[in-house]
Amino acid sequence: MTDLPKSTTRKLGLVIDLDTCVGCHACVISCKGWNTENDGAPLSDQDPYGADPSGTFLNRVHSYEVQPDTGPAQLVHFPKSCLHCENAPCVTVCPTGASYKRVEDGIVLVNEKDCIGCGLCAWACPYGARELDAAAGVMKKCTLCVDRIYNENLPEEDRTPACVRTCPSNARHFGDFSDPESHVSQLVRDRGGMDLMPEQGTLPVNKYLPPRPKDDWADSSVLAPFLTPVADEPRGFLGWLDKALDKI
Amino acid sequence: MNPAPSIIAFTTFSGLGFGLLFWLGMDPTPPRGWVAFVFFFIGFALALGGLAASAQHLGRPERALKAFSQWRSSWLSREACCAVAALVTMGLYAAGLVFADVKIPPLGWLGAALSLGTVFTTSMIYTQLKTVPRWHNRLTPLLFLSLSLAGGALLSGRVTLSLALILIVGALQVVWWRIGDKALQASGTTLGTATGLGDGGRVRAFEPPHTGTNYLLREMVYVVARRHARKLRGIALILMMVLPILLLLAPFHHITALLALLSHVTGVLTARWLFFAEAEHVVGLYYGKR
C-alpha cells in the first residue's frame, strides 16, 4: 500500500549547510557515479556529447543571489535532492505501490520493478526531487544511498551517502533526526535549521542551515582599509585635467 | 505543465465517452437493437480510446495492470478501477439492450454513476496536486464533470439539455480561469519560501544547476503558452460554447448537430491544452521560471 507510515522508528536524512557550500558540484558527480554503478537502473544521459545534452540526476546544485534592502548581494549555492518528507505527497499518489516510505528509517524509495513510469509522483513533489529516467522508463530519486549506509562490505567511514562522503567543504551532514542528541539534530538546533516550502505541508526531514549574516562589508577583511580609495579628489596633473575638462 | 498530446486526448475523449455512457445509462427509454449498438459503440470507443492514449504516456506501459492495486490511497489507481467497473457494467447493460432487447434499469443507473465517478477520479488526479496551485481548486472536478455531461448530452442528441449544460460549462470555465490566474500568488509559495532565503532579501535565480535542459523543465516548466493564452481562451470559448449554442438554436438538422458537436469538442481540446500549458508547477520557482 502506498499509505504513509503513521510514524517511523528512525528519521534518517541530511542537513545541508548553505553557509559553507561552495557550489563545487562534487556531490552531484559522486551521487551520479554511485547511483549509476550500483543498485537500480543507471542514471542515463541522452546526447551527452552532442548539441542538446540532458540526463538524470538525483542531486542538483542551484545558485541564488539574495539582495538585502541595504548592503551588497550575497551568493548562495543551493544543493537540492529528495528531502524524505514525513508527509510525502509523492508516495500517496502512486497507483502501483512502487513508491513507499520505510517504517524503519523513513527513507522514501521507489521499487523500480513496480514503477510504470506515469510520472505522477514527480508532479506531486514540490521540490523537483524525482526524475523519470528516459532510458529505463522508471522514476529515479535519492535513496539516501541505502546501499551504502547499511553496507558492511564498505569501510565504516564510507557508510554515509556518497554526497556527504565527498563534500570537500563539509556542507552536508547525515544522521538520525529522531535522536535529539544526534549530530544533525544539534546542528538544526544551533543554527536554526529550516524547512523548504513549509506551506506545502510536506514536513521534510532534510533541513537547510541558513547562511550566517555577513559582517559589515568594510570590516570583512583586514586588508579592507588598504583597499579604500586613497584620494577622493584627484590632485596634481589629474586634478588639473579634471578641472580643465569641467570648464570645457 | 507539459501539454502532452496523449494526456489531452485521454482526458477529453474519455470524458466525452463516459458522459455519453452516463446519459445512456440514465435514459428511461434507451435505444435498442442496432441503434443502441451504435450509441454504445461510440461511448466505448471514446472511453477506451482515451484510456489507450493515456497508456502511451507511461514509461513502462507493459506494467499498467499494477495500477489497479492502490485504490485505497491513489486517485490514479481509483480512476483505473472505476473506469473498468464502469465499462464492464455498461457493457452488460448494453448487451441486454442490443442483443436481448432487455432493459435492466438498476444496471444502467449503476453504470451511469460509475461513468461519472470515473470522470470525477480523473479530475481528482489534478485537483489533489498542491504543487500546481491552478489545479488545486474545488472547481476543477466541477469543470470536468460539467464538460463530460455537456459533451455526452450533445453526443446523445439531447438538444435542450446540452444547451443548458454548455452555458454552465462556459460560465464555470471563465470563473476557473479567473481564479486560476491568481492561484500561484494566493498559494504563498515563492522563491523565498522555496529556498528559505526570503527573509534575507530579494531572492533571484543566479545560475541554474546545469547548462542543458532536464526532465523537470521539460515536464513541469512549460512556458510557451503564456504569449497566446488570451487569444486561445477566446477561441476555446467560442468553439466550445458560443458556436454550438448558435448551431443548436438553429432549426434542428443532423448536419448542424454534428457541426455543433465538432465545434464543441475542438473547443474542449483547446481549453484542455491550456489546462496543462498554463498550469504553473511550483518547481519552476527553483529555476526562476515563474
Side-chain angles (χ1 to χ4, degrees), chain B residues 12-91:
Chain B
T12 307
F13 291 122
S14 78
L16 201 60
F18 283 115
L20 174 60
L21 291 178
F22 169 82
W23 291 115
L24 290 173
M26 294 299 285
D27 197 341
T29 53
R32 289 164 190 251
W34 277 107
V35 183
F37 178 81
V38 170
F39 271 113
F40 279 101
F41 179 81
I42 295 171
F44 272 84
L46 286 169
L48 280 170
L51 289 175
S54 78
Q56 289 275 308
H57 159 79
L58 299 178
R60 302 297 293 251
E62 74 279 11
R63 299 175 184 158
L65 284 180
K66 289 179 192 278
F68 292 98
S69 65
Q70 304 300 310
W71 50 272
R72 277 192 282 176
S73 49
S74 163
W75 281 107
L76 181 50
S77 186
R78 284 173 199 160
E79 183 205 36
C81 296
C82 213
V84 169
L87 290 173
V88 169
T89 313
M90 287 311 280

Side-chain angles (χ1 to χ4, degrees), chain A residues 96-225:
Chain A
T96 69
S99 265
Y100 62 105
K101 186 171 173 70
R102 306 210 313 178
V103 179
E104 62 268 38
D105 51 18
I107 299 179
V108 177
L109 290 175
V110 175
N111 176 354
E112 289 176 8
K113 289 191 187 72
D114 282 347
C115 177
I116 56 173
C118 69
L120 191 56
C121 55
W123 287 14
C125 172
Y127 308 110
R130 290 174 168 245
E131 299 188 16
L132 190 76
D133 188 84
V138 295
M139 196 54 73
K140 300 297 296 184
K141 70 176 292 301
C142 160
T143 65
L144 216 55
C145 283
V146 73
D147 50 349
R148 282 176 70 98
I149 58 177
Y150 298 114
N151 191 340
E152 292 184 358
N153 296 320
L154 294 176
E156 202 170 335
E157 64 267 30
D158 282 338
R159 290 179 212 159
T160 60
C163 57
V164 175
R165 185 74 180 97
T166 205
C167 179
S169 66
N170 222 12
R172 306 180 71 98
H173 306 267
F174 165 70
D176 178 9
F177 288 86
S178 69
D179 172 9
E181 294 315 311
S182 68
H183 171 51
V184 286
S185 296
Q186 284 178 18
L187 273 171
V188 169
R189 260 200 316 275
D190 297 346
R191 298 272 311 281
M194 59 190 183
D195 288 348
L196 305 186
M197 291 190 193
E199 70 283 355
Q200 285 274 334
T202 51
L203 304 178
V205 168
N206 284 13
K207 303 286 183 222
Y208 282 73
L209 306 181
R212 293 183 174 93
K214 285 280 176 271
D215 294 338
D216 185 48
W217 187 246
D219 296 341
S220 59
S221 161
V222 290
L223 294 173

Side-chain angles (χ1 to χ4, degrees), chain A residues 2 60 64 93 115 123 199, chain B residues 63 73-74 131 189 210 281 286:
Chain A
T2 47
R60 294 182 185 264
Y64 298 104
V93 298
C115 177
W123 287 14
E199 70 283 355
Chain B
R63 299 175 184 158
S73 49
S74 163
T131 49
T189 299
H210 36 77
H281 194 288
Y286 284 109

Side-chain angles (χ1 to χ4, degrees), chain A residues 61-75:
Chain A
V61 181
H62 297 251
S63 296
Y64 298 104
E65 177 200 76
V66 184
Q67 175 68 62
D69 291 337
T70 55
Q74 196 174 350
L75 189 63

